[in-house]
Amino acid sequence: MAMDTGKESLPGEADTLWIATTPKTAYPSLSGEISVDVAVVGGGIVGLTAAVLLKKSGATVAVLESNEIARGVSGHTTAKITSAHGLIYNYLVKYYKEEKAHQYAEANQGAIEFIASYIRENGISCDFHRTSACTFSPEEKDRQSFQDEVEAAAGLGLPVRYTESAPVPFPVRGAICYENQAFFHPRKYLLALAERIPGNGSHLFEHTRVKDVNGGSPCSIATDRGTLKAGQVIVATHFPILNRGLFFAKMIPRRAYLMALKINGEAPEGMYYGIAPPYHTIRKHVTETGEATLLIGGEDHITGHRRDTLEPYRRLIVFARKNFEVQSVLYHWSTQDNDPFDRIPFIGHHSFFSRRIFVATGFSGWGMTNGTAAAMILSDLLSGRSSPWSPVFNPSRSTPYRSKKFFFRNMSVSGTLIRDYLPAGRRKPISDLVSGEAAIVDKDGKEVAAFRDEQGRFHTVTPRCTHMFCKVEWNEAEKSWDCPCHGSRFEYGGKVLHAPATQDLEQK
């Protein structure tokens, strides 16, 4: 089924390969008075992995998911299980010294092996395959930086090599390949994790949106279904829903686009990621019955900062058809990543003053390993054990505040807020919207964000994000209202899709 955008339809079904090929879940919503040792906010790879580990250690846990588990960012990933995170290791050695670079490398390699052993020991059928992961560049100028990266990564004990060729149908001037990495079907894996959580005092709740967390003793977690008590809380909502900790000022939210294709001939072996715009990512996915699909992605941009969100899909189709004999587009989807200014995730205490509340965020598109490592680190910290990997990920580190990116990004956000409160000039009246069109328009003398669907019905909401009141922008491809300040996203009817917002847009 092609996605109906109102102006044009893209080939393939508007869904992810992972969600489309797995069953829906039907876990209950929170009801009644419940108290547990640990509440986990978010049912993605961090939350589900942490819950399984904590329950295994003897704690009672409750996972609270606002939608259905593994349908958020963890259900929209490229599902690469790899420590190949672009040109990261030479940077870490240079600016954070070898000790912390070791911590980052060991955490991600440890996450790969945790996933592999957990799948093997529990007999999980999730299309897990070992392969190489290569970071490539078509530019001659990148050769020296690639060689420096290989030297740094090898010095940290990573299984890495440099090559000037790769089995892809386009020019490659240099590539860094990490051996014995992996890919899998993330939702099959996560659904298997989820099955192990309920029971013996532990719970998994869906369609339960957390509104706030009070870090007392015990912590009080306010939801739209009631209140839950817990000794400790993990906030694993991809973008934290709590403003304390100021993570909205430390990261840039970014959209990326993906397609799953059927092609004639063999897809390239291995996984590939380009370090320069348009940041193309390529890998084949092979099921356990041998059926192969090619995944391509890229065309990244800051959330809410691109007017034509159909164009990235068009460019991916052009790239795919230029380099592969495409039979058909099976699925197309987009995802969201959070990029910390210093390139390192935040894993640990939510803030210096929130000692019972923990957080994991800022995975920069590498959530399968960073997210698994985060769950391992947090399960240690919450269980009273030290983690050898935690220092490099300390959320209270001061480095982001010294970054030029931090200054200029937050000045840009401040400018957007100021501009949004200045007179916008005359808006066109809502009656001028044609079917399939959306805009911030005038309705009875007031600004509203309005979408007119194919049946001619209007869907109108307040135009200001409920997080910090920036004006939202229309995302034509996804039919959503996206905040250009901190990346909150809302359905055209106002329902929250992405944090940090927790309140829906008010319907007008």
Side-chain angles (χ1 to χ4, degrees):
M1 181 180 69
M3 179 170 63
D4 178 11
T5 65
K7 294 185 178 181
E8 69 175 90
S9 292
L10 296 167
E13 187 175 344
D15 204 351
T16 80
L17 172 63
W18 323 124
I19 294 173
T21 56
T22 46
K24 290 175 66 67
T25 52
Y27 290 99
S29 300
L30 173 66
S31 64
E33 293 292 327
I34 293 175
S35 180
V36 292
D37 295 325
V38 181
V40 181
V41 187
I45 193 163
V46 177
L48 295 175
T49 307
V52 167
L53 291 173
L54 287 163
K55 183 178 179 182
K56 185 178 180 180
S57 71
T60 57
V61 298
V63 176
L64 303 160
E65 168 55 46
S66 63
N67 189 1
E68 296 169 11
I69 59 165
R71 290 181 67 92
V73 174
S74 293
H76 288 70
T77 174
T78 54
K80 296 177 180 177
I81 309 171
T82 180
S83 53
H85 298 175
L87 303 185
I88 184 72
Y89 296 107
N90 190 45
Y91 162 82
L92 291 174
V93 169
K94 182 177 179 180
Y95 291 103
Y96 294 91
K97 308 307 179 187
E98 195 164 304
E99 180 184 6
K100 289 188 175 179
H102 262 296
Q103 292 166 5
Y104 186 99
E106 290 174 1
N108 282 279
Q109 278 296 116
I112 297 171
E113 299 311 320
F114 172 87
I115 292 171
S117 63
Y118 195 87
I119 290 169
R120 182 178 62 253
E121 291 167 7
N122 293 277
I124 299 173
S125 176
C126 60
D127 307 339
F128 180 85
H129 286 266
R130 290 282 192 175
T131 190
S132 60
C134 299
T135 302
F136 69 88
S137 174
E139 303 290 339
E140 186 74 27
K141 64 180 178 63
D142 293 322
R143 182 173 294 179
Q144 185 59 53
S145 60
F146 271 44
Q147 292 172 346
D148 293 342
E149 179 72 7
V150 168
E151 182 178 349
L156 298 171
L158 292 170
V160 64
R161 61 181 173 84
Y162 174 75
T163 181
E164 294 182 356
S165 63
V168 289
F170 47 82
V172 170
R173 295 289 179 263
I176 306 167
C177 292
Y178 292 72
E179 303 303 328
N180 210 27
Q181 311 292 286
F183 63 75
F184 67 167
H185 190 304
R187 199 155 190 271
K188 289 180 180 178
Y189 173 72
L190 294 174
L191 294 183
L193 288 180
E195 290 176 356
R196 290 157 171 79
I197 296 169
N200 297 322
S202 293
H203 311 269
L204 200 165
F205 298 117
E206 293 184 324
H207 301 290
T208 303
R209 180 172 291 281
V210 172
K211 301 290 189 178
D212 198 10
V213 178
N214 183 306
S217 180
C219 299
S220 178
I221 300 94
T223 81
D224 59 357
R225 302 282 184 166
T227 302
L228 182 142
K229 302 291 185 180
Q232 297 170 300
V233 179
I234 293 175
V235 177
T237 53
H238 192 245
F239 201 120
I241 60 171
L242 306 179
N243 282 339
R244 50 190 183 271
L246 303 178
F247 295 104
F248 62 84
K250 301 178 184 179
M251 302 187 295
I252 298 178
R254 168 174 54 87
R255 302 294 296 169
Y257 298 79
L258 295 111
M259 288 184 165
L261 313 168
K262 279 291 183 188
I263 64 170
N264 293 325
E266 289 292 322
E269 287 296 328
M271 305 181 292
Y272 299 89
Y273 169 71
I275 63 163
Y279 304 109
H280 281 143
T281 180
I282 302 164
R283 83 161 177 90
K284 72 175 179 180
H285 182 76
V286 183
T287 68
E288 288 167 356
T289 60
E291 185 178 1
T293 305
L294 179 68
L295 304 183
I296 63 167
E299 305 294 339
D300 304 24
H301 64 82
I302 298 175
T303 303
H305 284 244
R306 189 183 188 103
R307 293 296 178 89
D308 186 355
T309 49
L310 292 170
E311 182 62 20
Y313 288 116
R314 299 187 196 106
R315 291 182 177 180
L316 285 181
I317 292 171
V318 169
F319 172 78
R321 290 176 175 161
K322 178 181 178 181
N323 293 289
F324 302 96
E325 191 176 335
V326 178
Q327 285 186 20
S328 62
V329 178
L330 302 176
Y331 305 99
H332 59 265
W333 69 94
S334 65
T335 189
Q336 189 144 312
D337 298 307
N338 298 317
D339 297 336
F341 294 116
D342 63 356
R343 302 176 63 185
I344 302 171
F346 301 101
I347 304 166
H349 287 101
H350 195 286
S351 72
F352 182 80
F353 301 102
S354 302
R355 308 313 288 175
R356 293 178 176 271
I357 305 174
F358 297 78
V359 70
T361 188
F363 301 143
S364 297
W366 307 108
M368 295 300 97
T369 51
N370 269 324
T372 299
M376 297 166 74
I377 291 167
L378 294 178
S379 67
D380 281 342
L381 297 179
L382 271 72
S383 300
R385 300 184 297 267
S386 63
S387 169
W389 305 333
S390 63
V392 68
F393 301 108
N394 181 7
S396 297
R397 62 186 185 268
S398 61
T399 305
Y401 301 108
R402 299 200 300 266
S403 165
K404 290 182 180 179
K405 289 183 180 180
F406 170 85
F407 176 78
F408 287 113
R409 167 64 179 167
N410 283 286
M411 286 295 293
S412 174
V413 169
S414 298
T416 298
L417 276 166
I418 293 169
R419 185 177 65 249
D420 286 350
Y421 278 93
L422 295 175
R426 186 175 179 180
R427 299 278 188 185
K428 71 177 179 180
I430 190 172
S431 57
D432 283 1
L433 290 180
V434 300
S435 294
E437 186 182 9
I440 296 178
V441 297
D442 178 85
K443 180 187 179 187
D444 301 328
K446 295 184 178 181
E447 284 186 339
V448 296
F451 168 60
R452 190 170 192 175
D453 66 23
E454 291 304 306
Q455 288 70 45
R457 295 171 299 198
F458 289 100
H459 305 267
T460 57
V461 295
T462 178
R464 293 192 180 276
C465 174
T466 55
H467 174 235
M468 292 187 73
F469 309 111
C470 291
K471 282 185 183 176
V472 293
E473 296 283 347
W474 179 244
N475 179 334
E476 183 180 349
E478 316 301 330
K479 282 195 172 73
S480 65
W481 294 104
D482 298 357
C483 177
C485 289
H486 303 116
S488 297
R489 298 182 60 243
F490 307 84
E491 290 182 350
Y492 61 78
K495 183 179 178 181
V496 174
L497 293 172
H498 271 106
T502 60
Q503 299 287 337
D504 297 342
L505 297 177
E506 182 185 351
Q507 294 187 354
K508 293 291 184 180

